[in-house]
Amino acid sequence: MEELNENGNFDIVLYEDGILGNDRQLFQAVQEGALSIVMMSPAVQQELIPELQLLEIPWFFDKNADYQDFMNQSGCRFFEPLYEKHGLVLLGISISDYRYLTTNRPLEKIEDFQGMKIRIQDNECHRIIWEALGAEPQVIDFSDLYMSLYNGVVDAQENPLIVIQSKRLYDVQDYIIDTGYLPTIYSYVINKEQWDEMTSQEQQELRGMFENYISDVVTSMPQYIETEMQSLIRENGMTVLTPNEQLHTDMLRAQDAVEEHIRSQIGEAEMQ
């Protein structure tokens, strides 16, 4: 990242699709200053900042807009000093599309989860969620996801719609289960030494840029979800299922399991 250019804009070079490494490598790079800014899931960051696990409590809010309101009003302020302790500055947290479960068989009752092999990202809270429901979560690199589904190494996976669409998971999965259990969360973090080298004007401009970007994401998300879902149904032949009331109630048992785990990690006071 460069400073403001002569037009009053930032020159930022974007590296996408893991070209610079996996999440753990990227997070280490921004800590060391090899990268200026990283946009990523907070999952790996939880090893350094366990309080971020609070974002992994399933069914905490009913809508992604409610999550974002919480982040804007108090959530980010709570996490900011925790990042600064580790030489990082939190520029924002965005709440994107919800994570959807895809499978090759319908799920109609809690017993249908029994023994189901679900690919998850490397996230302890996600493992606890699916184990609480009777499934067998397996951590598999994202680059191996498609072939793992194709070869039957796992039966299911969970991701936002953009991943299901862009990675053509509809070729190897038949059903989308709209569990609504967690949104997709991204944090935007900058190396603190590089932040401190910026002028107050530059800092203000950079924060404003990310605030505007996050606002645009939240505003456009409902229409995006509707468009992507209809495409997966009409063009790619997937069937969308919403858990019935009994199944939803039974799935809530995962919430207690995650809260118990987080309480053991960060203490009772932080859970209030």
Side-chain angles (χ1 to χ4, degrees):
M1 183 193 73
E2 302 293 340
E3 294 185 352
L4 287 172
N5 60 32
E6 64 272 15
N7 297 318
N9 299 315
F10 283 99
D11 290 324
I12 297 179
V13 181
L14 297 178
Y15 297 92
E16 301 179 290
D17 295 329
I19 192 172
L20 296 181
N22 59 35
D23 280 358
R24 184 166 279 102
Q25 293 167 328
L26 294 176
F27 190 50
Q28 181 177 351
V30 79
Q31 285 180 271
E32 296 171 349
L35 277 179
S36 299
I37 300 174
V38 67
M39 165 190 170
M40 62 186 297
S41 164
V44 168
Q45 302 167 21
Q46 293 168 12
E47 298 173 8
L48 193 66
I49 307 172
E51 289 86 353
L52 286 168
Q53 293 176 98
L54 291 167
L55 300 176
E56 306 288 359
I57 299 175
W59 297 286
F60 195 71
F61 290 109
D62 292 331
K63 298 180 295 184
N64 58 3
D66 293 336
Y67 273 96
Q68 193 63 63
D69 286 344
F70 167 71
M71 286 294 107
N72 294 342
Q73 293 171 13
S74 60
C76 282
R77 288 197 299 274
F78 172 78
F79 291 116
E80 283 170 0
L82 303 177
Y83 277 91
E84 289 202 15
K85 287 180 182 178
H86 300 284
L88 300 165
V89 174
L90 179 65
L91 296 173
I93 294 177
S94 69
I95 308 301
S96 187
D97 187 10
Y98 269 82
R99 305 183 72 84
Y100 295 81
L101 180 67
T102 67
T103 73
N104 276 330
R105 65 176 188 261
L107 296 173
E108 299 175 347
K109 54 187 183 301
I110 197 68
E111 289 78 13
D112 293 336
F113 283 99
Q114 195 67 37
M116 175 179 282
K117 296 175 182 174
I118 299 178
R119 180 269 173 186
I120 63 169
Q121 60 178 307
D122 190 2
N123 185 309
E124 182 66 9
C125 291
H126 289 197
R127 180 190 66 78
I128 291 169
I129 289 170
W130 297 112
E131 285 187 349
L133 301 181
E136 298 178 9
Q138 298 187 16
V139 176
I140 295 175
D141 285 345
F142 184 71
S143 59
D144 298 325
L145 172 57
Y146 185 95
M147 291 307 298
S148 295
L149 291 167
Y150 180 82
N151 292 322
V153 176
V154 288
D155 309 306
Q157 67 85 47
E158 50 84 47
N159 260 304
L161 292 178
I162 190 172
V163 172
I164 299 170
Q165 186 75 276
S166 64
K167 299 304 179 183
R168 300 180 63 89
L169 299 187
Y170 50 78
D171 287 339
V172 288
Q173 299 274 266
D174 296 326
Y175 295 92
I176 297 177
I177 316 299
D178 186 4
T179 61
Y181 85 109
L182 276 178
T184 303
I185 301 172
Y186 293 105
S187 63
Y188 306 83
V189 180
I190 185 172
N191 176 274
K192 190 175 187 304
E193 287 187 4
Q194 296 186 34
W195 173 261
D196 290 340
E197 291 172 356
M198 299 168 63
T199 67
S200 59
Q201 178 191 352
E202 290 171 343
Q203 293 175 349
Q204 184 178 356
E205 291 283 347
L206 189 62
R207 279 199 182 277
M209 185 186 74
F210 279 97
E211 288 173 1
N212 290 337
Y213 173 77
I214 291 171
S215 177
D216 289 344
V217 168
V218 174
T219 301
S220 63
M221 194 51 59
Q223 182 58 50
Y224 167 82
I225 292 174
E226 178 64 22
T227 301
E228 289 297 294
M229 189 69 83
Q230 290 304 314
S231 174
L232 288 167
I233 295 171
R234 295 174 181 173
E235 299 176 21
N236 302 309
M238 298 194 79
T239 300
V240 179
L241 300 177
T242 300
N244 58 45
E245 184 175 352
Q246 183 59 56
L247 177 55
H248 177 71
T249 299
D250 291 339
M251 291 175 70
L252 287 176
R253 69 176 65 161
Q255 191 176 67
D256 293 335
V258 172
E259 289 181 358
E260 181 179 352
H261 164 74
I262 297 174
R263 189 174 287 108
S264 72
Q265 297 291 304
I266 68 175
E268 183 68 35
E270 299 289 5
M271 293 290 291
Q272 302 304 316

